[in-house]
Amino acid sequence: MAFRFELQPALPLQLTPDCLVYSGTVRMFVTGIMFQSSGAPADSFGFALPDAPPLIGDADEPRVWAEASLMTGTATAASGAYPFGVEWVRAAYLPDPRGGTSRWLNLFGGAHIGREIRVGYRVTVATV
């Protein structure tokens, strides 16, 4: 299934000199024709956090914690038991997809989108 993202990041929150929190919302929605079954597995998603700076070269990777929660969902049918939401959400620094030497902070997981969902996310980065 083809779907798109619309990201709305919030300003990063500096909790301590060694701990920073990135948060925001992401709207995930289906583009084109959609087929859904009640027992279908979650669709994989992933995106780079737009406000997080990259790790340069072989810099040590900080510890990261990811959280996400369903804010709203739009159903696709009047009947049936279709799941909405996100599962197995994680965050990690991944290599630059353009081939550079930097690593970028990404949030990824699985989503039961229906026609559209809006998800709140929070990624905490600690360098100690």
Side-chain angles (χ1 to χ4, degrees), residues 24-26 69-73 117-121:
T25 62
V26 58
S69 59
L70 179 66
M71 297 172 67
T72 61
I117 62 173
R118 192 173 306 268
V119 172
Y121 68 87

Side-chain angles (χ1 to χ4, degrees), residues 3 28 40-47 65-69 85-92 106-112 119:
F3 59 92
M28 298 181 217
D43 292 304
S44 295
F45 72 90
F47 55 88
W65 296 268
E67 303 169 72
S69 59
V86 292
E87 56 187 48
W88 48 270
V89 174
R90 301 183 317 262
N106 283 257
L107 179 72
F108 48 99
H112 297 278
V119 172

Side-chain angles (χ1 to χ4, degrees), residues 26 29 55 67 123:
V26 58
F29 57 99
L55 291 178
E67 303 169 72
V123 177

Side-chain angles (χ1 to χ4, degrees), residues 35-66:
F35 296 98
Q36 185 178 24
S37 68
S38 60
D43 292 304
S44 295
F45 72 90
F47 55 88
L49 299 182
D51 293 340
L55 291 178
I56 307 299
D58 61 352
D60 290 336
E61 186 168 325
R63 294 183 299 167
V64 295
W65 296 268

Side-chain angles (χ1 to χ4, degrees), residues 72-128:
T72 61
T74 303
T76 58
S79 64
Y82 300 104
F84 284 107
V86 292
E87 56 187 48
W88 48 270
V89 174
R90 301 183 317 262
Y93 283 88
L94 300 179
D96 189 339
R98 300 166 298 187
T101 60
S102 299
R103 291 171 286 156
W104 294 88
L105 184 57
N106 283 257
L107 179 72
F108 48 99
H112 297 278
I113 296 173
R115 176 61 61 193
E116 172 185 335
I117 62 173
R118 192 173 306 268
V119 172
Y121 68 87
R122 180 171 50 209
V123 177
T124 304
V125 177
T127 57
V128 288

Side-chain angles (χ1 to χ4, degrees), residues 8-34:
Q8 293 181 337
L11 292 174
L13 175 62
Q14 187 83 47
L15 294 180
T16 70
D18 300 321
C19 186
L20 192 61
V21 178
Y22 299 97
S23 62
T25 62
V26 58
R27 176 180 168 235
M28 298 181 217
F29 57 99
V30 173
T31 58
I33 297 175
M34 186 181 118

